[in-house]
Structure formats: C-alpha cells, structure tokens
Amino acid sequence: MHTELQHLVLGGWLGKGPEGGGWCWGGLLTAPPHPGLPGMPTMWPLWLLASLLALSQALPFEQKGFWDFTLDDGLPMLNDEEASGADTTSGIPDLDSLTPTFSAMCPFGCHCHLRVVQCSDLGLKAVPKEISPDTTLLDLQNNEISELRKDDFKGLQHLYALVLVNNKISKIHEKAFSPLRKLQKLYISKNHLVEIPPNLPSSLVELRIHDNRIRKVPKGVFSGLRNMNCIEMGGNPLENSGFQPGAFDGLKLNYLRISEAKLTGIPKDLPETLNELHLDHNKIQAIELEDLLRYSKLYRLGLGHNQIRMIENGSLSFLPTLRELHLDNNKLSRVPAGLPDLKLLQVVYLHTNNITKVGVNDFCPVGFGVKRAYYNGISLFNNPVPYWEVQPATFRCVTDRLAIQFGNYKK
C-alpha cells in the first residue's frame, strides 16, 4: 500500500522512518463509540484494509528524510496528561462517512471502493472528473498534476483526506479548497509550491507541505484554522526572516516540524501550545537564554544535525515537562547545563559532538527522590570522551547500564 494511504487507514501517522518516529496528533481513523457497545470504538473493518492492499499494486512511495529522530526512538516514555495536549477526537470522521456504498461513479483507471478513490501512479495531468460526491478519501499521489483549479473538487463536501503528494503542483486557485468543508487531512508534500495555499479549509487538522519551494510564511496564512494541531513543513528553503511576525497567530498546534530548512536560530513566536518541535537538519548555531521561553509544554525537542556550539546556561529551565532532547550531530564541547533539573527527562541524544568530558553531576540531580523519571536512554558515542574516566555515579539515575551508549569515536 502507498505510504500516505497506509498511514491514513491505520490511523493518522506515527512511526519510525530513517530518522525515527514522531507523533502527529491528527486523530485516529476510528468511528465514535458503537451505540450497542458503550465505550467501544468502531474500527475500520479489516476487509477494507485488505481490499486497499489488494488494490495497491504499485511500489510503495517512500519519503526519505521525513520521519523524526532515529530508530531507537521507541523507548517507553512517561505518560503525563499535563504534557500530552493531544486532542484525540479532532480527527475522527462521522460514523456515516464509514458506511459502505457502491457508487457507479469512478474515474477511468482509478480504483474506487467504500468511498475511497485511489488514482495514484496514473500519469494524470489534472484532477480527474466523475469523482463520487460521497468520497471520503481521495488519493492522487505520484502523478503529474501541475495546477489545482477552482472546480476540481466541486461537490466533494464529504472529503476527509486528500493526498496530492509527489506531483508538480505550482499553482492553486484561491477557491480550489472551498467545497471541502469536512477536510481534515491535506497531504501536498513533494510539489513545486512557492507559497502556502490560501484559504485552507477551517476544518483542517493536519497539513503536510514539506519538500516544496516555500520561502515565506506570511501573517494570516493560517487564520481561522482553529482545529489545526499538526503541521509538517520541513524541506523548504525557509530562513528565519521568512516567518513574518504573527505568522502562527491563532494556531494551537501540538506538533510542528521545520527540518531540513535554512534556519540559523529557533524561530520566534511559534505556538506556545507545542508538545513537539522538530528543527533538525538546519544551520542553528546557538541556543540563547530566551529562545525556549514560550515553549513550557514541550516534551520532545529535536535539534539534531545543526551547528550548535553553545547552549546558554538556563535555556533549558523553561522546559519543565521535557521528556526527550535530541542534540546529536552538533558541535557541542560539553554536556548542556541544566539537565539534572529536568525532572521528567528520559532520553538525551548527544552523540557525534565534540564533548571531551562528562562530569559526575552532568545528568543526575544531587540527592534521592528529586527526579520523577529515570533516564532510559543517553547517547554519548562518537565524542572524544575518555569513557574509562567517567565515574559510575554519573549515571546513578539511569534505569539500566544498557541505556548508556559510549565509545566508537574516530577522528
């Protein structure tokens, strides 16, 4: 099954790719509780998944460099309602939208079944006609569509997810998305867009627009999107100056990724509701004192593969709920100050830096009972640290010695 369609059927997207797994709180594709079984969700039928698998005969479409972090990202994390911030109902379609129908309308060459219309890998130059009005999922990835016109989605008022990944889209009419009153997931990555599409549906929950040519995020482009909680916009040539003041005003995001861009610092005025912020593979050189001031709800911060040499003392004190910190593949010469004060921190990636010394109190607080969650992952490999000189007490608040990764340093 195609990657994008597979994530939709199996429930949002959460997984581990070349760089590990990150959660996008777009909501699971489950129906509301079954009236006959209180509290029991009605899951997508297995026969629907089987039918989609049978219909998808082309090779899977792989998005390299898309996922967050590394493969050993699946370490168990502490559950804490304070830091979750996830809206578990925002991405749930109506029960009626899952009712099987057998419409005779189906574009030529496409596969249509149970309100899912799959038209991927057909070399299409434009959005096909004769799409059934009751369609809830439209898959148009891996085609040659260059433009979205005013009436391309006319009548598709029940559409829940639209997949346009890997086309050649460079132009979108300002009213192209107007009919899509129930659209919650828009995947338009790997295209030729130079700007974020105007007039996005107010119902939108998840937007993937990575790997385009976007250089500017103007103020007001996300206005009215009160349901949005996940944006993936990495792989665009965005610089810090490309974010206008107030660009994210009104958004209450849980997840934001701006990786593989041209950032030299942490952008200002990002939503303060963020639980996950991924800025890996940029050109960030330092973390200054007030860079993280707004983001007290973060529990996962990704800053790997940058050029960070300095983290100002006190910078991390603004992140009391942080669970996971990724600073691998930077130019740090020492362990960042303030880690012992982060009572919930469980995973720290510091491998592939220039760290030459690890102090006995660099990770763990002094005294017992201070830290609420012990570490279950500390990576320090590929640093010029004489690990035989590190005192055993340095890792007194680690669950297991196997959670510590040392050695393998090469000049």
Side-chain angles (χ1 to χ4, degrees):
M1 184 184 301
H2 290 296
T3 301
E4 299 291 349
L5 190 57
Q6 187 177 31
H7 293 317
L8 283 167
V9 173
L10 296 179
W13 60 271
L14 54 100
K16 306 183 186 74
E19 293 178 54
W23 293 81
C24 188
W25 301 104
L28 300 178
L29 276 179
T30 58
H34 193 285
L37 296 173
M40 293 296 291
T42 303
M43 301 298 295
W44 276 65
L46 291 177
W47 44 267
L48 171 57
L49 180 57
S51 65
L52 289 175
L53 283 168
L55 293 174
S56 302
Q57 299 177 2
L59 292 175
F61 172 58
E62 297 182 0
Q63 299 187 51
K64 297 181 179 179
F66 173 74
W67 301 105
D68 316 313
F69 303 132
T70 59
L71 287 174
D72 53 352
D73 189 44
L75 298 168
M77 301 299 293
L78 180 70
N79 293 323
D80 190 335
E81 294 180 358
E82 179 185 42
S84 67
D87 183 356
T88 58
T89 61
S90 61
I92 299 177
D94 295 333
L95 181 61
D96 291 340
S97 70
L98 301 179
T99 304
T101 62
F102 302 92
S103 174
M105 297 179 64
C106 188
F108 178 78
C110 301
H111 296 293
C112 302
H113 190 58
L114 300 173
R115 301 190 180 186
V116 174
V117 178
Q118 186 178 4
C119 301
S120 58
D121 301 274
L122 296 177
L124 299 176
K125 304 288 186 180
V127 176
K129 304 297 182 181
E130 298 185 358
I131 299 175
S132 177
D134 61 1
T135 299
T136 57
L137 194 160
L138 177 57
D139 178 17
L140 293 167
Q141 66 180 309
N142 303 338
N143 282 294
E144 298 182 16
I145 300 170
S146 60
E147 179 182 358
L148 300 182
R149 296 165 296 191
K150 179 181 178 181
D151 295 326
D152 276 350
F153 306 112
K154 185 177 181 180
L156 301 181
Q157 60 182 357
H158 298 291
L159 197 64
Y160 168 77
L162 176 59
V163 183
L164 291 159
V165 174
N166 200 31
N167 277 277
K168 299 179 180 179
I169 301 170
S170 61
K171 184 178 180 181
I172 298 178
H173 192 278
E174 62 179 8
K175 294 185 178 180
F177 298 126
S178 295
L180 308 180
R181 300 174 183 174
K182 296 184 179 180
L183 190 71
Q184 295 193 21
K185 296 178 183 289
L186 176 58
Y187 298 169
I188 196 167
S189 306
K190 294 183 180 290
N191 279 283
H192 300 166
L193 296 175
V194 296
E195 64 179 4
I196 295 173
N199 303 320
L200 292 170
S202 60
S203 57
L204 205 60
V205 172
E206 180 181 342
L207 173 64
R208 294 200 209 176
I209 197 167
H210 59 279
D211 291 306
N212 276 280
R213 303 173 182 178
I214 299 169
R215 296 180 178 273
K216 183 179 179 181
V217 182
K219 181 178 181 180
V221 71
F222 297 121
S223 61
L225 301 180
R226 290 185 289 270
N227 296 313
M228 182 82 77
N229 61 25
C230 171
I231 296 180
E232 156 61 73
M233 58 193 310
N236 286 290
L238 281 163
E239 300 180 358
N240 286 75
S241 59
F243 296 92
Q244 289 189 354
F248 294 93
D249 281 359
L251 288 181
K252 296 182 179 180
L253 298 180
N254 296 122
Y255 182 105
L256 176 62
R257 183 180 175 99
I258 318 175
S259 301
E260 299 177 86
K262 296 184 178 180
L263 302 179
T264 56
I266 295 179
K268 308 295 183 184
D269 300 326
L270 299 178
E272 59 185 13
T273 56
L274 284 172
N275 295 146
E276 296 195 34
L277 176 60
H278 305 286
L279 302 174
D280 46 297
H281 289 275
N282 276 286
K283 299 179 180 179
I284 300 173
Q285 299 179 9
I287 306 299
E288 299 180 353
L289 183 59
E290 297 184 358
D291 282 349
L292 301 171
L293 177 63
R294 290 171 52 87
Y295 313 122
S296 61
K297 297 181 180 180
L298 279 181
Y299 64 78
R300 178 177 286 176
L301 176 60
L303 291 166
H305 292 271
N306 276 282
Q307 301 173 13
I308 300 173
R309 296 178 180 272
M310 184 273 295
I311 298 179
E312 191 171 352
N313 289 349
S315 299
L316 300 179
S317 64
F318 301 113
L319 309 177
T321 62
L322 193 67
R323 271 84 164 151
E324 199 165 316
L325 176 62
H326 292 243
L327 287 165
D328 55 285
N329 291 275
N330 278 286
K331 298 181 179 180
L332 294 171
S333 59
R334 64 185 180 91
V335 176
L339 296 184
D341 299 324
L342 300 178
K343 299 180 180 180
L344 300 176
L345 188 63
Q346 298 169 69
V347 176
V348 183
Y349 286 1
L350 290 167
H351 56 269
T352 316
N353 276 280
N354 298 322
I355 298 172
T356 58
K357 183 180 179 181
V358 177
V360 70
N361 293 320
D362 278 352
F363 292 98
C364 301
V366 177
F368 295 98
V370 178
K371 191 168 177 58
R372 288 177 54 188
Y374 276 26
Y375 290 101
N376 52 34
I378 296 177
S379 68
L380 285 162
F381 64 88
N382 205 19
N383 278 289
V385 178
Y387 57 88
W388 55 88
E389 295 181 1
V390 178
Q391 299 183 37
T394 302
F395 304 111
R396 58 190 177 273
C397 60
V398 179
T399 55
D400 190 284
R401 67 175 63 185
L402 296 178
I404 306 165
Q405 299 181 21
F406 256 136
N408 299 324
Y409 175 69
K410 296 180 180 180
K411 292 184 178 181

